[in-house]
Amino acid sequence: MPTHKPATIAVRTGIESDTQHHAVVPPIYLSTNYSFPNFGEVPEYDYTRSGNPNRGLLESALSQLENGAGAVITNCGTAALNLLASTFLKPGDTIIAPCDCYGGTFRLFNSRSQKGDFNVLFIDQCDDSAMQEALREKPKLILLETPSNPLVRVVDIEKICLQAKKTGALVAVDNTFLSPIFQNPITLGADFVIHSTTKYLNGHSDVLGGVVIAKTAEHAEELAWWGNCIGSTGTPFDSYLTLRGLRTLGARMRAHEENSQRIIHFLSSHELVKTIYHPSLPNHPGHDIAQKQQSGFGCMLSFEFAGSYEQLKRFVNALSLFSLAESLGGVESLICHPATMTHRAMGEEALKAAGVSHQLLRLSVGLEDATDLIADLEQAFESSKEIQ
Ligand SMILES: *Cc1c(COP(=O)(O)O)cnc(C)c1O
């Protein structure tokens, strides 16, 4: 089998795989159980918690896209992170995670460490000395999230993987923000890639899902065993829909990025915009690393609103093409106020440590016409100025 380019893998996986009726698109198998051909002969699939053809196809596509040896589809991204922790961490082990990680990841690791399941160190992974100090704790696992949420900070995957190898730590990268189209952590030395497939991979904001992809077959097997054991695997219907969404990933990511660049250009000269956070900007601290390790700068950005907090609220409420909602990576544009939405569980102190201010707004730029999106931002900035 020749190795194909990502867009081809996304479009072709499972096409013409139906040997019974020769359906071009793979059919959906909702059956929870499968018959044994003969006494003692175990079929490829026996019970859906441990395996299912639709989940298998999605696992195969994502594993190929991330250059892994195998993958486990979970019922959400959080379950993928939890599966990683359940498989590889025991009491006494330490995981290092970014202090500005996804809010739900912070809550998950923080809560499980408080129960004594393992230790967690949340550190600023952009700070070399903090990283060195944390490595002295001999962590079992290091989780990277680059670009991070919501400040899209970038860390050097290759450099951290080399440091981790010396101390015997495994490295997992949450690649949700870029998708395999723009970044391949396993190629850069990572042992695992995590996605919330809820975001760009499905891309249509209608399926919750996650995946852990492993570099080695041994790790993939361990993850599959634990996924079945604790019952966190994804459903056939969700896998079917996610593979359907994945088909257009290559084309969507290109279009998302083009729209993001148009919006950044517009925001960068607006008086009500203070700082824009996006790795494509030369003054972004992660610009050079992003250029080195990513094949696209990504489509998530955030910015500090320069007006008052009251004005910020008027701006957000006046938008009609950016829905005020959590999540990201869908075809529709979204705006989010991290401090009161996605990151509110962190509390004021942790928010401050992560540099998430109440003036910060995050955009998930969708696939509407960029001219319409810019006109919408423009009118909302104008109406935010009106005294009410
Ligand atoms: C959304 C998200 C998650 C959690 O995924 P769910 O599917 O919502 O459970 C984890 N990491 C990142 C970066 C995310 O954006």
Side-chain angles (χ1 to χ4, degrees), residues 76-79 81 102 105 145 149 174 176-177 196-199 208-209 328:
C76 65
T78 307
L81 287 151
Y102 177 75
T105 306
E145 197 184 307
N149 182 14
D174 185 330
T176 299
F177 266 40
S196 166
T197 62
T198 312
K199 318 295 168 52
L208 208 63
L328 58 113

Side-chain angles (χ1 to χ4, degrees), residues 166-276:
K166 284 188 200 139
T167 62
L170 295 166
V171 179
V173 178
D174 185 330
N175 203 22
T176 299
F177 266 40
L178 288 179
S179 91
I181 300 297
F182 289 153
Q183 180 167 270
N184 296 117
I186 288 178
T187 310
L188 296 165
D191 300 285
F192 307 100
V193 177
I194 303 269
H195 282 280
S196 166
T197 62
T198 312
K199 318 295 168 52
Y200 289 106
L201 297 189
N202 175 59
H204 295 75
S205 307
D206 53 7
V207 190
L208 208 63
V211 66
V212 191
I213 299 141
K215 180 186 191 164
T216 70
E218 293 73 27
H219 282 155
E221 257 168 55
E222 273 183 85
L223 286 161
W225 191 90
W226 276 101
N228 180 53
C229 173
I230 62 180
S232 55
T233 48
T235 71
F237 194 60
D238 287 353
S239 298
Y240 175 89
L241 281 176
T242 302
L243 184 60
R244 189 181 194 270
L246 185 76
R247 301 277 185 222
T248 54
L249 183 68
R252 278 189 287 113
M253 293 312 284
R254 276 199 305 280
H256 275 295
E257 182 156 76
E258 202 179 300
N259 274 4
S260 307
Q261 285 303 316
R262 295 261 316 263
I263 284 175
I264 289 168
H265 181 74
F266 164 75
L267 292 176
S268 57
S269 62
H270 202 284
E271 53 178 344
L272 283 176
V273 175
K274 204 159 83 184
T275 316
I276 304 174

